[in-house]
Amino acid sequence: MLYPQANAARAVQDLSGVWLFQLKEGTPWRNIAVPASYNDQFPEAEYRAYAGLSRYKTALTIPAFWQGQRLILRFDAVTHSARVLLNGREIGSHRGGFLPFEIELTDLVQPGETAALEVEVDNRINHSTLPIGTEGSTAFFGSDNPGITAVEAGKRRQREQGINLPAFDFFNYAGINRPVRLYTTPKAYIQDVTLIPSLNGEVKYRVDTEGEGRVHIDALDAEGATVASADGAEGVLRIPQPHLWEPRPGTPYLYTARVSFGQDQYLLPFGIREVKIEGTKFLINGKPFRFHGPCKHEDSPFHGRGMDQCLNVTDINLYHWLHANCFRTSHYPYAEEMYRLCDREGIVIVDETPAVGMWADEHYGWDLKDYHAQVLKDMIDRDKNHPCVVVWSLGNEPSTDTYPQKAYDYWWPLYQLAHQTDPQNRPVTLVGCQNIYEKDRIIPTMDIVFINRYYGWYNLSGDLETAKYAFRMELDWWADKNKPMVLSEYGADTIAGLHGAVAEMFTEEFQVEFYKAMSACLDERDFIAGEMPWNFADFSTCQGPMRVGGNRKGLFTRDRRPKMAAHYFRQRWASMDEKSQ
Ligand code: BDP
């Protein structure tokens, strides 16, 4: 799906602003900022804790001079599902809170008219949503005490009252989290553009269109000069002496594909780069690439998971400050603006579906597979042209060792689907939980192995010498698999400002010592293709006995102040940058 764009042929009306919001039937309509999660915009507890249907409304005015154009309403993400009404009539709906959907309005409103737009949002999570809700079975992180009569009764009561707990470790921020836009195209229009670049400067392309017309395509260099052209819906652009898109600290050179079709036009930035795996090496443009950068969340004060360009730019500049070169979109596809920024900034992305919370063994019996496949396809269709995206992640930390065959049967078809769907055929991974790795059948079959490990934190807590001993033992097991491996999560909760001459858990000193211990193990092994600390910044979670105002494993605080560990990685990754130059 193409990102909405204003150009010589298309107009965009951004509907960001202050809308009206009703938390539930009978509560007052109140002003609300869009886009942003609704949870933190009101001081009342019920807005933060609510689970159920809510409503947004605004007025939509179609400029009269848009006469004769197609009109498309695009929602970039409504979490977790949406029903859209125009003048009181349902015109569309969508399931899933992290990917865009569109509704064509051409035959539903007249240019010059004002219509009432209403969006009903459902933030509930359960066994058939991605991410997963617990349905009252087990809370994320303890406080569960199975078998105790009174606790069980309490849990039943919570279920009856509709308390809706996440099976994942981030706050269930909901609402219209990303922009809503109305845009036009001419009646005959460009529906999609697909680009497959290779290092010799040949860019295979395909343009999907609707209506009558002929396709012409130009490749423009960074200065806007035309460097290659072609005609027809499918073909090859031949760019002489191509500049490559290199991840930082290289140059993320971008070309633009200018596509025209009848009256329509679309400009798509793209990079020339190739991603390949050879033995234990992950190669970008034929050169070994070592992933180093913390995983992220879309999370900030006030906005919740709401898209915020200023935050994105600030975060990416902090990545540069850290000499970090990548992140994983843990644990859901991010707003498209972030990928567009990373294309320009040379930051590499591991793009992840919202399949998180699948740690209960029963989930292989739930009816999720087809929906999961659809979400994976939609994510790849949305993000396929971004040079910054170099790996697809099918999901995070499912159960894979209790029923290894069931896990294999669930994930292997998704692995194949990702390869079939991606025109650039990028490597695919599934992020593995700390588990009985010898029993796991699926994680070792991935193109690149991503494992999350918390030696020294959740297990062998505080004992870093033994943590190293155990982690080394596991690494010995992986050593002969002949695959590149990334330590895709590791970290320690750290309260900014808490210090100790003795480096004990939760102090800033411990966080640094923890990372030093893990670095020592990683640096000994050639097959290690990267390290991705958990997490870039502290982030909000639901309440739990292991969360002090959220997850505190950030290298930065939630308001982006560096902890000592940020300085540690800044030095470490600066010296890695130097070596790679
Ligand atoms: C991992 C999860 C991540 C959590 C992290 C933690 O992938 O979502 O936030 O642990 O516990 O298991 O901090």
Side-chain angles (χ1 to χ4, degrees), residues 239-257:
I239 300 177
Q241 289 114 39
H243 300 279
L244 302 186
W245 185 95
E246 300 276 4
R248 79 169 307 282
T251 318
Y253 192 94
L254 288 179
Y255 291 91
T256 301

Side-chain angles (χ1 to χ4, degrees), residues 480-524:
D480 62 3
K481 302 288 173 286
N482 198 35
K483 300 245 167 156
M485 177 191 270
V486 172
L487 183 57
S488 41
E489 270 187 39
Y490 58 126
D493 283 270
T494 304
I495 306 301
L498 183 68
H499 290 282
V502 178
E504 288 195 334
M505 292 172 80
F506 296 99
T507 63
E508 292 202 35
E509 285 78 3
F510 181 83
Q511 193 181 25
V512 171
E513 292 309 314
F514 171 91
Y515 281 125
K516 279 187 183 164
M518 295 297 114
S519 299
C521 305
L522 296 169
D523 291 347
E524 299 159 354

